């Protein structure tokens, strides 16, 4: 008896999104390493924490595919972006990446609606909500750097942003706090 409750089309699409979340984790990781290397330790700390959050998103997708009786495929993760030119470029690319991710999430919502797979539609609502927070976070970063002078921001302004991000709260949890329902 076939106990797979996901269509091949949706399973494949969720699997692709799972890899996209892993790619996001790699992007944040590589930007964190760049920031640390540039001396922005606060920014690096923030980006390292966010990389962990993206990996939790990946795990949430993986567990959902398994829970619905399909088999996730662990695919190669594309290379992260090249190093940004400066902090303004870094935050700008993060914002663009989050908007792109929101579009991918919306595509999955559309697909689940077309198939009338309401379980997947419901599952995806968590990501719809999460993307609002992710975009807001990226917008805030961008606003901070713009106020500081964008790519021409001076050392003092950059120092203050770096200090602020070192303690800025985000949604990242330690591994032991993470569950499928609450990644
Ligand atoms: Fe998993 Fe930043 O979206």
């Amino acid at each position: 008896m076939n106990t797979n409750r996901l269509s091949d089309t949706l399973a494949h699409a969720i699997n692709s999104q799972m890899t996209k979340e892993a790619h996001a984790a790699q992007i944040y990781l590589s930007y964190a390493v760049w920031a640390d290397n540039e001396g922005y330790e606060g920014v690096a700390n923030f980006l390292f924490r966010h990389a962990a959050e993206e990996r939790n998103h990946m795990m949430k997708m993986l567990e959902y595919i398994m829970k619905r009786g399909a088999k996730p495929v662990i695919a190669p993760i594309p290379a992260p972006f090249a190093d940004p030119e400066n902090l303004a470029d870094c935050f700008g690319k993060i914002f663009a990446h989050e908007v792109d991710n929101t579009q991918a999430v919306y595509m999955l919502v559309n697909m689940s609606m077309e198939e009338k797979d309401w379980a997947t539609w419901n599952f995806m609502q968590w990501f719809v909500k999460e993307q609002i927070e992710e975009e807001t976070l990226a917008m805030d970063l961008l606003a901070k750097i713009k106020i500081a002078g964008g790519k021409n921001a001076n050392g003092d302004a950059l120092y203050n942003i770096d200090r602020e991000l070192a303690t800025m709260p985000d949604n990242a949890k330690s591994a032991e706090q993470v569950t499928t329902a609450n990644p």
Side-chain angles (χ1 to χ4, degrees), residues 24-70:
Q26 297 295 85
I27 292 167
Y28 279 101
L29 264 187
S30 87
Y31 278 11
V33 169
W34 168 83
D36 185 78
N37 198 52
E38 294 290 310
Y40 302 125
E41 286 178 19
V43 175
N45 187 293
F46 173 81
L47 294 173
F48 275 126
R49 283 184 282 137
H50 203 85
E53 185 158 329
E54 297 295 356
R55 192 170 188 285
N56 291 342
H57 294 169
M58 180 204 78
M59 287 303 295
K60 189 174 172 78
M61 297 264 172
L62 183 144
E63 290 187 22
Y64 179 74
I65 296 170
M66 292 197 296
K67 197 157 80 175
R68 300 300 288 155

Side-chain angles (χ1 to χ4, degrees), residues 21 24 28 50 54 57 97-98 101 127 130-131 134:
E21 300 289 346
Y28 279 101
H50 203 85
E54 297 295 356
H57 294 169
H97 167 78
E98 288 301 343
N101 201 42
F127 285 93
E130 177 69 6
Q131 281 310 119
E134 301 265 302

